[in-house]
Amino acid sequence: MKILQVGAEVFPLVKTGGLADVMGALPQALIAEGADVRLLLPGFPAILAGLKKPALVCEVGAVFGAGRVRLLRGALAVSGVPAYVVDAPYFYQREGNPYLAADGSEWPDNAQRFALLGWVAAQVASGGLDPAWAPDVLHAHDWHAAMACAYVAANPGAKVATVFTVHNLAYQGLFDARDFHLLGLPIRYMDPTRLEYHGKFSFMKAGLTSARCITTVSPSYAQEIATSEFGCGLDGVVRSRGADVSGILNGVDDAVWNPSTDKDIPARYSASDLAGKAVCKAALQQALGLRVDAKAPLFTLVSRLTPQKGLDLVLAAIPEMLATGAQLAVQGTGDAVLEKAFREAMAAHPGAMAVRIGYDETFAHQMIAGADAMLVPSRFEPCGLTQLYALRYGTVPVVRHVGGLIDTVVDADASSLQANTATGFMFGPATREALALAVHRAVHDFAQPDVWKQLQRRGMAQNFSWAAAATQYLALYQALGVPAQAA
Ligand code: ADP
Ligand code: GLC
């Protein structure tokens, strides 16, 4: 089966969040299952630099006002996964965040930049750009790639099956109606049943209305986005797709997130020998300027600092958390107001709380390995990866009962402890009190080494594998009528 995976990020080259981890790992897992997979990515500087043996597939010409556009093909140097790259210097040769200018505002030509990505993907998928290869399935990720599904739908000759994965419904790619003509789609697509959204046009809606089927990154989030609470204004569209919407849980890339092989942490360890974890904790406390104390429960959090992540709850709960004797360390970047609030909280609690503002992949490994517990208090969470990494590293997750967190963590209540299934702590209401109570419960169990070790070991034994996710995606592609051995 030939599959084209289209997205705007890929670990480790361009990453703003979990999407990159998925784009890095899923193709490899599909290839391991025997599929013929290629990526299609925008030619950001880091992606061009990470492409091994780039060869020109074709000159695409001057489309979308992008100047010279070329389609290159090579393989990602880091993984060997074959990749097409849309080389459009005028659109993509911009350093830093793929979507935002240095001042944090969206690039004014984002509609054209990501329409181009989708359009080239649809052209490759229709067999028009690479005479040597065309996929059976075009799988587009998030709004950045969603237009690929619309361009395929608008081409009556296209045979390819389209799948659209929603990683985060809150980011929609919403643009001014005046720019619709730039997309090169028939005007009938500027319609509420297609792209039109309250007088604007929405790339997310393009994916939701034109893909043959839709997935989200956890079964619970697939149900949630059909409700007005989590639908971000698109729940009606989601409901209209009925059984075409399903959830497939993300996995953990074992080559990147594995405490027994991780070169980014000071000592390696496994479920049968946790000694190295104590070394990681002491080193982390030291690095962060926290009191080096094995007995103080250390909670960490690694996150984009955005309203999604429930960080206001953490800020409000700090005094109660620290009063239990716990320590708290936060690593993140994003919202300037949250950055400032965390900095101020750190200054108010020297030795007990630390904050690292910035993006640092290596240090994220140390934060996850060195912690006793990891906070993920999200208001919504399509899947969430840090709680999966935490489980893998014997770091007990403390999460809110929402989205993928529901599907990946088992709350340590009396019955799950009795049944030996508990892996973490979960709270319901998005309130300071509920978070503080969950932290109290974790601190209480941390003080009982036998109970805590059981939680750690059970978490480490969980198997959130990309192989399992790949098997489900392949079954989904086949259900669309694509034979497993399609030529
Ligand atoms: P989201 O995609 O919503 O940001 P996920 O939990 O799916 O949430 O993925 C977040 C990814 O980004 C994880 O790999 C996490 O380790 C990483 N991450 C988030 N913030 C930072 C940061 N400041 N430094 C390093 N890695 C980070
Ligand atoms: C999104 C979601 C996150 C998910 C990630 C990868 O950014 O916010 O929950 O884990 O995509 O699918």
Side-chain angles (χ1 to χ4, degrees), residues 15-19 21 168 257 302-304 308-309 331-333 358-361 364 368 381 383-387 389:
K15 172 167 169 176
T16 71
L19 170 66
D21 292 6
N168 195 329
W257 295 98
V302 176
S303 178
R304 291 183 292 115
Q308 167 186 350
K309 300 293 182 179
Q331 177 181 341
T333 174
Y359 197 93
D360 183 341
E361 195 73 37
I368 291 172
E381 196 59 77
C383 176
L385 293 173
T386 56
Q387 85 281 7
Y389 302 154

Side-chain angles (χ1 to χ4, degrees), residues 17-20 22 142 165-168 171 217 250 304 308-309 380-385:
L19 170 66
V22 175
D142 262 355
T165 294
V166 178
H167 292 262
N168 195 329
Y171 301 93
V217 285
N250 288 332
R304 291 183 292 115
Q308 167 186 350
K309 300 293 182 179
F380 69 93
E381 196 59 77
C383 176
L385 293 173

